[in-house]
Amino acid sequence: MPATDCATDEAAATEQGAWRAGLALLAGGDAAAALPLLRQAAAAGEGGGLALLNLGLALMQLGRLEEAEAPLARAAAMLPGHPEPPFRLATLAGLRGEADRAARLLLAALASDPGHVPALAALAMLEEGAGRLEAASALIARARMIDPAEPELDVVAARLALARDEPGAALDAASRVLARRPAHLAAARLLARAWLRRDGMAAAQAGIAARAMAEPEAAGWAIAAAELHALAGRPGAALAELRAALALAPETTELQAALGATLAEAGRDAEAEPLLRAAIAAHPGELDLRNRLATVLWTSHRVSAMLEVLEEAIRAFGPQPILLLNQALALNALGEQQAALAAAEQAVAHPAGGVEALITRMAVQPYHPEHGHAAALLESGRAVAARLGPAAAPPARPRDPERRLRIGLLSGGLGRHPVGWLTLAGLEALPETGFELVAYSLKPRQDALASRFRARATLWREVGALEDAAIAAQMVEDGIDLLLDLGGYGDGGRPGVLQRRPAPVQVKWVGMQNGSMGLDGIDWMLTDAWETPPGFERFYAERLLRLPDGYVCYLPPAVAPPVAPLPAMARGHVTFGCFNNLAKVTPRVLQAWGRILGALPEAQLVLRTHALAEPATRERLRARMVVAGLPVERVTLAGGVPHQRLLAAYGEVDIALDPLSLCRRPHGLRGALDGGAGGGARR
């Protein structure tokens, strides 16, 4: 909730010099120019506590939140009856997820000024975050009595009404905002959701279209239409509406950020990045924008740049769980497994870490050289199960012998993806007379393998935008007899669906299958005697169903090139290669490769993966190689290429090295074929 851009009083107006000049610049919106003058004034004692207060405000506006704490604390000590210092300190605490401290500071601000509207609104949002909707609504009502013209209060009121399942009240509140600020992003989105909940999609779309025709210059209707398109799974239409809205209100930085986020969702990272960076420059105090930029950099494989954004955000906002989780994923993708697990553990220990922190720990832990063994994974998986709660009772569904067995597939990899390559041939081999497949796709995919999955499936559902409960309810309605989970704790995995037990029998197969999921909602795991040798049953919550000839059904690509002649015959030396992601390249792996190259002075090593296209990532890996004793001058680092070219690149190496097989793994094995880089970035 915005407050005044600067804080002053009559005495301050009489001050001269740096203090007055800095205050004028800050009031004019130029925090960068005001900052050195306010520093100078504070150091000289000019302006007293107000100089320190405004110095803190300038630093906050510039996104330098960590630096803002000290001058604001000093201002609070010098201005004990002033509401602004505790209010601003509360804002910092809220941004860092310190809800209890923020509440105490807001109450202190209100003790000084019971009519401080921004403090009332901020306290209402804390109550909302804690699920105390009635208390939040009472605070907003009190604030609106004091300042009925403030549109941000109506935005909060609309959100609270929607949370209380009062779409009519939410629609009224959002409409009041748009009447005064036609390009208000949050209000337009809330209006679309309220209209949808009250009248349904068709009526909401028709109503918003009619309002847009009546008020063609108002950007809010295009924003609302974009929100409905996004909710209906039409990203292209949503993008078109957001572009129209931005054309109507080009100065609205919130719209630039929304367009950047939508472009990122559509996979158009190159277009999204400059919009998000511009939005961050305009709103440096918005944590979500920093995190959104980090996810864009992740999907474009610029992991070092992603890590830089996250580290800067952590310095500004403190160790927020969402930042720590994405930091853990980034570090893991860089092959820095110990730092990755440490970041995940820090998120788990955070009071607001929640189940997402536990799931992310499960995504990075298998790659840790010491703590990635089966016993540790079982323990971490059971922690996820404990947080999700005990598995629900399976649905009562009498088996009809005349009906085909209905198998559900839950995955984000039903296409050109390791899951697709390792499962499609087996699923296609199931006789249609006895089995029908229902696909629950967590990520839309349009490729040749996805087409084959669709052809084999009797029913195809895109469910990535749905909550766990909604997916599980759909599976129950569809009458699934056996659910195959093909995601685990990897990118897009949904353990929350499995714990709801939508099928009488639930089986884990492929999809980051590196240990037990630890869930009591899974009955079986499909495996083999190599993946989980006899005697390892005690490390699994699931019963192990071992297939006799390997647990995967690999489908060779149709474009696979023929086996190439041995490169060493022409080169006169052996070329080793590893095209795995860096998460699998542990310090022990690098040391082993160092010993290999040390024993063969002419040999070369080629490493290829998407992350190595980034110069900063190559430098980080070279530093690790030097520590491990690798001769870096004989190692080629190359970025990723399309799949067909990747297969052809294997013809350039004599011996392919499997990094996992080089590690000594106590208490269990981890599959070398199965699994990616440990999950997708958290939005």
Side-chain angles (χ1 to χ4, degrees), residues 276-363:
L276 289 172
R277 289 193 181 278
I280 290 169
H283 301 279
E286 293 287 339
L287 181 148
D288 183 65
L289 292 174
R290 312 278 190 104
N291 193 61
R292 178 68 66 171
L293 176 60
T295 63
V296 164
L297 296 169
W298 168 269
T299 55
S300 57
H301 305 292
R302 294 164 59 196
V303 188
S304 291
M306 172 192 182
L307 190 61
E308 183 178 340
V309 168
L310 291 169
E311 288 172 344
E312 182 180 344
I314 289 170
R315 286 193 295 271
F317 296 94
Q320 296 280 0
I322 188 64
L323 301 175
L324 292 170
L325 298 183
N326 282 333
Q327 183 187 43
L329 294 171
L331 288 164
N332 200 51
L334 291 169
E336 299 174 23
Q337 301 87 358
Q338 295 191 17
L341 185 56
E345 293 284 11
Q346 189 178 359
V348 168
H350 195 286
V355 71
E356 279 292 324
L358 294 168
I359 290 173
T360 300
R361 179 172 67 180
M362 284 295 288

Coordinates of all heavy atoms in Angstrom, one line a residue, residues 276-363:
L276 N 10.8 -7.2 -18.3 CA 10.9 -7.4 -16.9 C 12.0 -6.6 -16.3 O 11.8 -6.1 -15.2 CB 11.1 -8.9 -16.7 CG 9.9 -9.8 -17.0 CD1 10.4 -11.3 -16.9 CD2 8.8 -9.6 -16.0
R277 N 13.1 -6.4 -17.0 CA 14.2 -5.6 -16.4 C 13.7 -4.1 -16.3 O 14.0 -3.4 -15.4 CB 15.4 -5.7 -17.3 CG 16.1 -7.1 -17.2 CD 17.5 -7.1 -17.8 NE 18.1 -8.4 -17.8 CZ 18.8 -8.8 -16.7 NH1 18.9 -8.1 -15.6 NH2 19.4 -10.0 -16.7
A278 N 12.9 -3.7 -17.3 CA 12.4 -2.3 -17.2 C 11.4 -2.2 -16.0 O 11.4 -1.2 -15.3 CB 11.7 -1.9 -18.5
A279 N 10.6 -3.2 -15.8 CA 9.7 -3.2 -14.7 C 10.4 -3.2 -13.4 O 10.0 -2.5 -12.5 CB 8.7 -4.3 -14.8
I280 N 11.5 -3.9 -13.3 CA 12.3 -4.0 -12.0 C 12.9 -2.6 -11.8 O 12.9 -2.1 -10.6 CB 13.3 -5.1 -12.1 CG1 12.7 -6.4 -12.1 CG2 14.3 -4.9 -11.0 CD1 13.6 -7.6 -12.4
A281 N 13.4 -2.0 -12.8 CA 14.0 -0.6 -12.6 C 12.9 0.4 -12.1 O 13.2 1.2 -11.3 CB 14.6 -0.1 -14.0
A282 N 11.7 0.2 -12.6 CA 10.6 1.1 -12.2 C 10.0 0.7 -10.8 O 9.5 1.6 -10.1 CB 9.5 1.1 -13.2
H283 N 10.1 -0.5 -10.5 CA 9.5 -1.0 -9.2 C 10.6 -1.9 -8.5 O 10.4 -3.1 -8.4 CB 8.2 -1.8 -9.5 CG 7.2 -1.0 -10.2 ND1 6.4 -0.1 -9.5 CD2 6.8 -0.9 -11.5 CE1 5.5 0.4 -10.4 NE2 5.8 0.0 -11.6
P284 N 11.6 -1.3 -8.0 CA 12.7 -2.2 -7.5 C 12.3 -2.9 -6.2 O 12.9 -3.8 -5.7 CB 13.8 -1.2 -7.2 CG 13.2 0.1 -7.1 CD 12.0 0.1 -8.0
G285 N 11.2 -2.5 -5.6 CA 10.7 -3.1 -4.4 C 9.8 -4.3 -4.6 O 9.2 -4.8 -3.6
E286 N 9.6 -4.7 -5.9 CA 8.7 -5.8 -6.2 C 9.5 -7.1 -6.3 O 10.1 -7.4 -7.3 CB 7.9 -5.5 -7.5 CG 7.0 -4.4 -7.4 CD 5.7 -4.7 -6.6 OE1 5.4 -5.9 -6.5 OE2 5.1 -3.8 -6.2
L287 N 9.4 -7.9 -5.3 CA 10.1 -9.2 -5.2 C 9.7 -10.1 -6.4 O 10.5 -10.8 -7.0 CB 9.9 -9.9 -3.9 CG 10.6 -11.2 -3.7 CD1 11.0 -11.4 -2.2 CD2 9.8 -12.4 -4.1
D288 N 8.4 -10.2 -6.7 CA 7.9 -11.1 -7.7 C 8.5 -10.8 -9.1 O 8.8 -11.7 -9.8 CB 6.4 -11.0 -7.8 CG 5.8 -12.0 -8.8 OD1 6.0 -13.2 -8.6 OD2 5.3 -11.6 -9.8
L289 N 8.8 -9.5 -9.4 CA 9.4 -9.2 -10.6 C 10.8 -9.8 -10.7 O 11.3 -10.3 -11.8 CB 9.5 -7.7 -10.9 CG 8.1 -7.0 -11.1 CD1 8.3 -5.5 -11.1 CD2 7.5 -7.5 -12.3
R290 N 11.6 -9.7 -9.6 CA 12.9 -10.3 -9.6 C 12.9 -11.8 -9.9 O 13.6 -12.4 -10.6 CB 13.6 -10.0 -8.3 CG 13.5 -8.6 -7.8 CD 14.6 -7.7 -8.4 NE 14.6 -6.4 -7.7 CZ 15.5 -6.1 -6.8 NH1 16.5 -6.9 -6.5 NH2 15.4 -4.9 -6.2
N291 N 11.9 -12.4 -9.2 CA 11.8 -13.9 -9.3 C 11.4 -14.3 -10.7 O 11.8 -15.3 -11.2 CB 10.8 -14.4 -8.2 CG 10.9 -15.9 -8.1 OD1 12.0 -16.5 -7.8 ND2 9.8 -16.6 -8.4
R292 N 10.5 -13.5 -11.2 CA 10.0 -13.8 -12.6 C 11.1 -13.7 -13.6 O 11.3 -14.5 -14.5 CB 8.9 -12.8 -13.0 CG 8.3 -13.0 -14.4 CD 7.6 -14.3 -14.5 NE 6.4 -14.4 -13.7 CZ 5.5 -15.3 -13.8 NH1 5.7 -16.3 -14.7 NH2 4.4 -15.3 -13.1
L293 N 12.0 -12.7 -13.5 CA 13.2 -12.6 -14.3 C 14.1 -13.8 -14.1 O 14.6 -14.3 -15.1 CB 13.9 -11.3 -14.0 CG 15.2 -11.0 -14.8 CD1 15.0 -11.0 -16.3 CD2 15.9 -9.8 -14.3
A294 N 14.2 -14.2 -12.9 CA 15.1 -15.4 -12.7 C 14.5 -16.6 -13.4 O 15.3 -17.4 -14.0 CB 15.1 -15.7 -11.2
T295 N 13.2 -16.8 -13.4 CA 12.7 -18.0 -14.1 C 12.8 -17.8 -15.7 O 13.0 -18.8 -16.3 CB 11.2 -18.1 -13.8 OG1 10.4 -17.0 -14.3 CG2 10.9 -18.3 -12.3
V296 N 12.8 -16.6 -16.2 CA 13.0 -16.4 -17.6 C 14.5 -16.8 -17.9 O 14.8 -17.5 -18.9 CB 12.8 -14.9 -18.0 CG1 13.4 -14.6 -19.3 CG2 11.3 -14.7 -18.0
L297 N 15.4 -16.4 -17.1 CA 16.8 -16.8 -17.3 C 17.0 -18.3 -17.2 O 17.8 -18.8 -17.9 CB 17.7 -16.0 -16.4 CG 17.7 -14.5 -16.5 CD1 18.4 -13.8 -15.4 CD2 18.3 -14.1 -17.8
W298 N 16.3 -18.9 -16.3 CA 16.3 -20.3 -16.2 C 15.9 -21.1 -17.4 O 16.6 -21.9 -17.9 CB 15.5 -20.8 -15.0 CG 15.2 -22.3 -14.9 CD1 14.2 -23.0 -15.4 CD2 16.0 -23.2 -14.1 NE1 14.3 -24.3 -15.1 CE2 15.4 -24.5 -14.3 CE3 17.2 -23.1 -13.4 CZ2 15.9 -25.6 -13.7 CZ3 17.7 -24.2 -12.8 CH2 17.1 -25.5 -13.0
T299 N 14.8 -20.7 -18.0 CA 14.3 -21.4 -19.2 C 15.1 -21.1 -20.4 O 15.1 -21.9 -21.3 CB 12.8 -21.0 -19.5 OG1 12.7 -19.6 -19.6 CG2 11.9 -21.4 -18.3
S300 N 15.9 -20.0 -20.4 CA 16.8 -19.8 -21.5 C 18.2 -20.3 -21.2 O 19.2 -19.9 -21.9 CB 16.8 -18.3 -21.8 OG 17.2 -17.5 -20.7
H301 N 18.4 -21.1 -20.1 CA 19.6 -21.8 -19.8 C 20.7 -20.8 -19.4 O 21.9 -21.2 -19.4 CB 20.1 -22.7 -20.9 CG 19.1 -23.7 -21.4 ND1 18.7 -24.7 -20.6 CD2 18.4 -23.8 -22.5 CE1 17.7 -25.4 -21.2 NE2 17.5 -24.9 -22.4
R302 N 20.4 -19.6 -19.0 CA 21.4 -18.6 -18.5 C 21.4 -18.7 -17.0 O 21.0 -17.8 -16.3 CB 21.1 -17.2 -19.0 CG 21.2 -17.2 -20.5 CD 20.5 -15.9 -21.1 NE 21.0 -14.7 -20.5 CZ 20.4 -13.5 -20.6 NH1 19.3 -13.5 -21.2 NH2 20.9 -12.5 -20.1
V303 N 21.9 -19.8 -16.5 CA 21.8 -20.1 -15.0 C 22.7 -19.2 -14.2 O 22.3 -18.8 -13.1 CB 22.1 -21.6 -14.8 CG1 21.8 -22.0 -13.4 CG2 21.3 -22.5 -15.7
S304 N 23.8 -18.9 -14.6 CA 24.7 -18.0 -13.9 C 24.0 -16.6 -13.7 O 24.1 -15.9 -12.7 CB 26.1 -17.8 -14.5 OG 26.8 -19.1 -14.4
A305 N 23.5 -16.1 -14.8 CA 22.8 -14.8 -14.8 C 21.6 -14.9 -13.8 O 21.3 -14.0 -13.1 CB 22.3 -14.4 -16.2
M306 N 20.9 -16.0 -13.9 CA 19.8 -16.3 -12.9 C 20.2 -16.2 -11.5 O 19.6 -15.5 -10.6 CB 19.1 -17.6 -13.2 CG 18.1 -18.1 -12.2 SD 17.7 -19.8 -12.4 CE 16.4 -20.0 -11.2
L307 N 21.3 -16.8 -11.2 CA 21.9 -16.8 -9.9 C 22.3 -15.4 -9.4 O 22.0 -15.0 -8.3 CB 23.1 -17.8 -9.8 CG 23.6 -18.1 -8.4 CD1 22.6 -18.8 -7.6 CD2 24.9 -18.9 -8.5
E308 N 22.8 -14.6 -10.3 CA 23.1 -13.3 -10.0 C 21.9 -12.4 -9.6 O 21.9 -11.7 -8.6 CB 23.8 -12.6 -11.2 CG 24.3 -11.2 -11.0 CD 25.0 -10.6 -12.2 OE1 25.5 -11.4 -13.0 OE2 25.1 -9.4 -12.2
V309 N 20.8 -12.6 -10.3 CA 19.5 -11.9 -10.0 C 19.0 -12.4 -8.7 O 18.6 -11.5 -7.8 CB 18.5 -12.2 -11.1 CG1 17.1 -11.8 -10.7 CG2 18.9 -11.5 -12.4
L310 N 19.1 -13.7 -8.4 CA 18.6 -14.2 -7.1 C 19.4 -13.7 -6.0 O 18.9 -13.3 -4.9 CB 18.6 -15.7 -7.2 CG 17.5 -16.3 -8.1 CD1 17.7 -17.8 -8.3 CD2 16.1 -16.0 -7.6
E311 N 20.7 -13.7 -6.1 CA 21.6 -13.2 -5.0 C 21.4 -11.8 -4.7 O 21.4 -11.4 -3.5 CB 23.1 -13.5 -5.4 CG 23.4 -15.0 -5.4 CD 24.8 -15.3 -5.9 OE1 25.4 -14.4 -6.6 OE2 25.3 -16.4 -5.7
E312 N 21.2 -11.0 -5.8 CA 20.9 -9.6 -5.5 C 19.5 -9.4 -4.8 O 19.4 -8.6 -3.9 CB 20.9 -8.8 -6.9 CG 20.6 -7.3 -6.7 CD 20.6 -6.6 -8.1 OE1 21.0 -7.2 -9.1 OE2 20.1 -5.5 -8.1
A313 N 18.6 -10.2 -5.2 CA 17.2 -10.2 -4.6 C 17.3 -10.6 -3.1 O 16.7 -10.0 -2.2 CB 16.3 -11.0 -5.3
I314 N 18.1 -11.6 -2.8 CA 18.3 -12.1 -1.4 C 18.9 -11.0 -0.6 O 18.6 -10.8 0.6 CB 19.1 -13.4 -1.4 CG1 18.2 -14.5 -2.0 CG2 19.5 -13.7 0.0 CD1 19.0 -15.8 -2.2
R315 N 19.9 -10.3 -1.2 CA 20.5 -9.2 -0.4 C 19.5 -8.1 -0.1 O 19.5 -7.5 1.0 CB 21.7 -8.6 -1.2 CG 22.9 -9.4 -1.2 CD 24.1 -8.6 -1.8 NE 24.0 -8.3 -3.2 CZ 24.3 -9.0 -4.2 NH1 24.9 -10.2 -4.0 NH2 24.2 -8.6 -5.4
A316 N 18.5 -7.9 -1.1 CA 17.6 -6.8 -0.9 C 16.4 -7.2 0.0 O 16.0 -6.5 0.9 CB 17.0 -6.4 -2.2
F317 N 15.9 -8.4 -0.2 CA 14.7 -8.9 0.5 C 14.9 -9.8 1.6 O 13.9 -10.3 2.2 CB 13.7 -9.5 -0.6 CG 13.2 -8.5 -1.6 CD1 13.9 -8.4 -2.8 CD2 12.1 -7.7 -1.4 CE1 13.4 -7.6 -3.8 CE2 11.7 -6.9 -2.4 CZ 12.3 -6.8 -3.6
G318 N 16.1 -10.3 1.8 CA 16.4 -11.3 2.8 C 16.2 -12.7 2.2 O 15.7 -12.8 1.0
P319 N 16.4 -13.7 3.0 CA 16.4 -15.1 2.5 C 14.9 -15.6 2.4 O 14.5 -16.4 3.1 CB 17.2 -15.9 3.5 CG 17.0 -15.1 4.8 CD 16.9 -13.7 4.4
Q320 N 14.1 -15.0 1.4 CA 12.8 -15.5 1.2 C 12.8 -16.9 0.7 O 13.6 -17.2 -0.2 CB 12.1 -14.5 0.2 CG 11.9 -13.1 0.7 CD 10.7 -13.0 1.7 OE1 10.0 -14.0 2.0 NE2 10.5 -11.8 2.2
P321 N 11.9 -17.7 1.1 CA 11.9 -19.1 0.6 C 11.9 -19.2 -0.9 O 12.6 -20.0 -1.5 CB 10.6 -19.7 1.2 CG 10.4 -19.0 2.5 CD 10.9 -17.6 2.2
I322 N 11.0 -18.5 -1.6 CA 10.9 -18.6 -3.1 C 12.3 -18.3 -3.7 O 12.7 -18.9 -4.7 CB 9.8 -17.7 -3.7 CG1 9.6 -18.0 -5.1 CG2 10.1 -16.2 -3.4 CD1 9.1 -19.3 -5.4
L323 N 13.0 -17.3 -3.2 CA 14.3 -17.0 -3.7 C 15.3 -18.1 -3.4 O 16.1 -18.5 -4.3 CB 14.8 -15.7 -3.2 CG 13.9 -14.4 -3.4 CD1 14.5 -13.2 -2.7 CD2 13.8 -14.2 -4.9
L324 N 15.3 -18.6 -2.2 CA 16.2 -19.7 -1.8 C 15.9 -20.9 -2.7 O 16.9 -21.6 -3.1 CB 16.0 -20.0 -0.4 CG 16.5 -19.0 0.6 CD1 16.0 -19.3 2.0 CD2 18.0 -18.8 0.6
L325 N 14.7 -21.3 -2.9 CA 14.4 -22.5 -3.7 C 14.9 -22.3 -5.1 O 15.5 -23.3 -5.7 CB 12.9 -22.7 -3.7 CG 12.2 -22.9 -2.4 CD1 10.7 -23.2 -2.5 CD2 12.9 -24.1 -1.6
N326 N 14.7 -21.2 -5.8 CA 15.3 -21.0 -7.1 C 16.8 -20.9 -7.1 O 17.5 -21.3 -8.0 CB 14.6 -19.8 -7.8 CG 13.2 -20.1 -8.3 OD1 12.9 -21.3 -8.6 ND2 12.4 -19.1 -8.3
Q327 N 17.3 -20.4 -6.0 CA 18.8 -20.4 -5.9 C 19.3 -21.8 -5.8 O 20.3 -22.2 -6.4 CB 19.2 -19.6 -4.6 CG 20.7 -19.5 -4.4 CD 21.1 -18.9 -3.1 OE1 20.5 -19.2 -2.1 NE2 22.0 -17.9 -3.1
A328 N 18.6 -22.7 -5.0 CA 19.0 -24.1 -4.9 C 19.0 -24.7 -6.3 O 19.9 -25.5 -6.6 CB 18.1 -24.8 -4.0
L329 N 17.9 -24.5 -7.1 CA 17.9 -25.1 -8.4 C 19.0 -24.6 -9.3 O 19.5 -25.4 -10.1 CB 16.5 -24.8 -9.0 CG 15.3 -25.5 -8.3 CD1 14.0 -24.9 -8.9 CD2 15.4 -27.0 -8.4
A330 N 19.3 -23.3 -9.2 CA 20.3 -22.7 -10.1 C 21.7 -23.3 -9.7 O 22.5 -23.7 -10.6 CB 20.3 -21.2 -9.9
L331 N 22.0 -23.3 -8.4 CA 23.3 -23.9 -8.0 C 23.4 -25.3 -8.4 O 24.5 -25.8 -8.8 CB 23.4 -23.7 -6.5 CG 23.7 -22.3 -6.0 CD1 23.4 -22.2 -4.5 CD2 25.1 -21.9 -6.3
N332 N 22.3 -26.1 -8.3 CA 22.4 -27.5 -8.7 C 22.6 -27.6 -10.2 O 23.4 -28.5 -10.6 CB 21.0 -28.2 -8.3 CG 21.1 -29.7 -8.3 OD1 22.0 -30.2 -7.6 ND2 20.2 -30.3 -9.0
A333 N 22.0 -26.8 -11.0 CA 22.2 -26.8 -12.4 C 23.6 -26.4 -12.8 O 24.1 -26.8 -13.9 CB 21.2 -25.9 -13.1
L334 N 24.3 -25.7 -12.0 CA 25.7 -25.3 -12.2 C 26.6 -26.4 -11.7 O 27.9 -26.3 -11.9 CB 26.0 -24.0 -11.5 CG 25.3 -22.8 -12.1 CD1 25.5 -21.6 -11.2 CD2 25.8 -22.5 -13.5
G335 N 26.1 -27.5 -11.1 CA 27.0 -28.5 -10.6 C 27.5 -28.2 -9.2 O 28.4 -28.9 -8.8
E336 N 27.0 -27.2 -8.5 CA 27.5 -26.9 -7.2 C 26.5 -27.5 -6.2 O 25.7 -26.8 -5.6 CB 27.6 -25.4 -7.1 CG 28.6 -24.9 -8.1 CD 28.7 -23.4 -8.2 OE1 28.4 -22.7 -7.2 OE2 29.2 -22.8 -9.2
Q337 N 26.6 -28.8 -6.1 CA 25.5 -29.6 -5.4 C 25.5 -29.3 -3.9 O 24.4 -29.2 -3.3 CB 25.7 -31.1 -5.6 CG 25.7 -31.5 -7.0 CD 27.1 -31.4 -7.7 OE1 28.1 -31.0 -7.1 NE2 27.2 -31.9 -8.9
Q338 N 26.6 -29.1 -3.2 CA 26.6 -28.8 -1.8 C 26.0 -27.5 -1.5 O 25.1 -27.4 -0.5 CB 28.0 -28.9 -1.3 CG 28.7 -30.3 -1.4 CD 30.0 -30.4 -0.6 OE1 30.3 -29.6 0.2 NE2 30.7 -31.5 -1.0
A339 N 26.3 -26.5 -2.2 CA 25.7 -25.2 -2.0 C 24.2 -25.2 -2.3 O 23.4 -24.6 -1.7 CB 26.3 -24.1 -2.9
A340 N 23.8 -26.0 -3.3 CA 22.4 -26.1 -3.7 C 21.6 -26.7 -2.5 O 20.5 -26.2 -2.2 CB 22.2 -27.0 -4.9
L341 N 22.1 -27.8 -2.0 CA 21.3 -28.5 -0.9 C 21.3 -27.5 0.4 O 20.3 -27.5 1.1 CB 22.0 -29.8 -0.5 CG 21.2 -30.6 0.6 CD1 19.8 -30.9 0.1 CD2 21.9 -31.9 0.8
A342 N 22.4 -26.8 0.6 CA 22.4 -25.9 1.7 C 21.3 -24.8 1.5 O 20.6 -24.4 2.5 CB 23.8 -25.2 1.8
A343 N 21.1 -24.3 0.3 CA 20.1 -23.3 0.1 C 18.7 -23.9 0.3 O 17.8 -23.3 0.9 CB 20.2 -22.7 -1.3
A344 N 18.5 -25.1 -0.2 CA 17.2 -25.8 0.0 C 16.9 -26.0 1.5 O 15.8 -25.8 1.9 CB 17.2 -27.1 -0.8
E345 N 18.0 -26.4 2.2 CA 17.8 -26.7 3.7 C 17.4 -25.4 4.4 O 16.6 -25.3 5.3 CB 19.0 -27.3 4.3 CG 19.4 -28.7 3.8 CD 18.5 -29.7 4.4 OE1 17.5 -29.4 5.1 OE2 18.8 -30.9 4.2
Q346 N 18.0 -24.3 3.9 CA 17.7 -23.0 4.5 C 16.2 -22.6 4.3 O 15.6 -22.1 5.2 CB 18.6 -21.9 4.0 CG 18.5 -20.5 4.7 CD 19.4 -19.5 4.1 OE1 20.2 -19.7 3.2 NE2 19.4 -18.3 4.7
A347 N 15.7 -22.9 3.1 CA 14.3 -22.7 2.8 C 13.4 -23.6 3.6 O 12.4 -23.2 4.1 CB 14.0 -22.9 1.3
V348 N 13.8 -24.8 3.8 CA 13.1 -25.8 4.6 C 13.0 -25.3 6.1 O 11.9 -25.4 6.7 CB 13.7 -27.2 4.6 CG1 13.1 -28.1 5.7 CG2 13.5 -27.8 3.2
A349 N 14.0 -24.7 6.6 CA 14.1 -24.2 8.0 C 13.3 -22.9 8.1 O 12.9 -22.5 9.3 CB 15.5 -24.0 8.4
H350 N 13.0 -22.2 7.1 CA 12.3 -20.9 7.1 C 10.9 -21.1 7.6 O 10.2 -22.1 7.1 CB 12.3 -20.2 5.8 CG 11.9 -18.8 5.8 ND1 10.6 -18.4 6.0 CD2 12.7 -17.6 5.7 CE1 10.6 -17.0 5.9 NE2 11.8 -16.6 5.8
P351 N 10.3 -20.3 8.5 CA 8.9 -20.5 8.9 C 7.9 -20.6 7.8 O 6.9 -21.2 7.9 CB 8.7 -19.3 9.8 CG 10.0 -18.9 10.3 CD 11.0 -19.2 9.2
A352 N 8.2 -19.9 6.7 CA 7.3 -19.8 5.5 C 7.7 -20.8 4.4 O 7.2 -20.7 3.3 CB 7.2 -18.4 5.0
G353 N 8.6 -21.7 4.7 CA 9.1 -22.6 3.7 C 8.1 -23.5 3.1 O 7.9 -23.6 1.9
G354 N 7.3 -24.1 3.9 CA 6.2 -24.9 3.4 C 6.6 -26.1 2.7 O 7.7 -26.5 2.6
V355 N 5.6 -26.8 2.0 CA 5.8 -28.0 1.3 C 6.7 -27.8 0.1 O 7.4 -28.7 -0.3 CB 4.4 -28.7 1.0 CG1 3.7 -27.9 -0.1 CG2 4.6 -30.1 0.5
E356 N 6.6 -26.6 -0.5 CA 7.4 -26.3 -1.7 C 8.9 -26.4 -1.4 O 9.7 -26.9 -2.2 CB 7.1 -24.9 -2.3 CG 5.9 -24.8 -3.1 CD 6.1 -25.6 -4.4 OE1 7.2 -25.5 -5.0 OE2 5.1 -26.2 -4.9
A357 N 9.3 -26.0 -0.2 CA 10.7 -26.1 0.2 C 11.1 -27.6 0.3 O 12.2 -28.0 -0.1 CB 10.9 -25.4 1.5
L358 N 10.2 -28.4 0.9 CA 10.5 -29.8 1.0 C 10.6 -30.5 -0.3 O 11.5 -31.4 -0.6 CB 9.5 -30.5 1.9 CG 9.4 -30.0 3.4 CD1 8.2 -30.5 4.0 CD2 10.7 -30.6 4.1
I359 N 9.7 -30.1 -1.2 CA 9.7 -30.7 -2.6 C 11.0 -30.3 -3.3 O 11.6 -31.1 -4.0 CB 8.5 -30.3 -3.3 CG1 7.2 -31.0 -2.7 CG2 8.6 -30.6 -4.8 CD1 5.9 -30.5 -3.3
T360 N 11.4 -29.0 -3.2 CA 12.6 -28.6 -3.9 C 13.8 -29.3 -3.3 O 14.8 -29.7 -4.0 CB 12.8 -27.1 -3.8 OG1 11.7 -26.5 -4.4 CG2 14.0 -26.6 -4.5
R361 N 13.9 -29.5 -2.0 CA 15.0 -30.3 -1.4 C 15.0 -31.7 -2.1 O 16.1 -32.2 -2.4 CB 14.8 -30.4 0.1 CG 15.9 -31.2 0.7 CD 15.9 -31.2 2.2 NE 14.7 -31.9 2.8 CZ 14.4 -32.0 4.1 NH1 15.2 -31.4 5.0 NH2 13.4 -32.6 4.5
M362 N 13.9 -32.3 -2.3 CA 13.9 -33.6 -2.9 C 14.3 -33.5 -4.4 O 14.8 -34.5 -5.0 CB 12.5 -34.2 -2.9 CG 12.1 -34.8 -1.5 SD 13.1 -36.2 -1.1 CE 12.5 -37.4 -2.2
A363 N 14.2 -32.4 -5.0 CA 14.6 -32.2 -6.4 C 16.2 -32.1 -6.5 O 16.7 -32.5 -7.5 CB 14.0 -31.0 -7.0

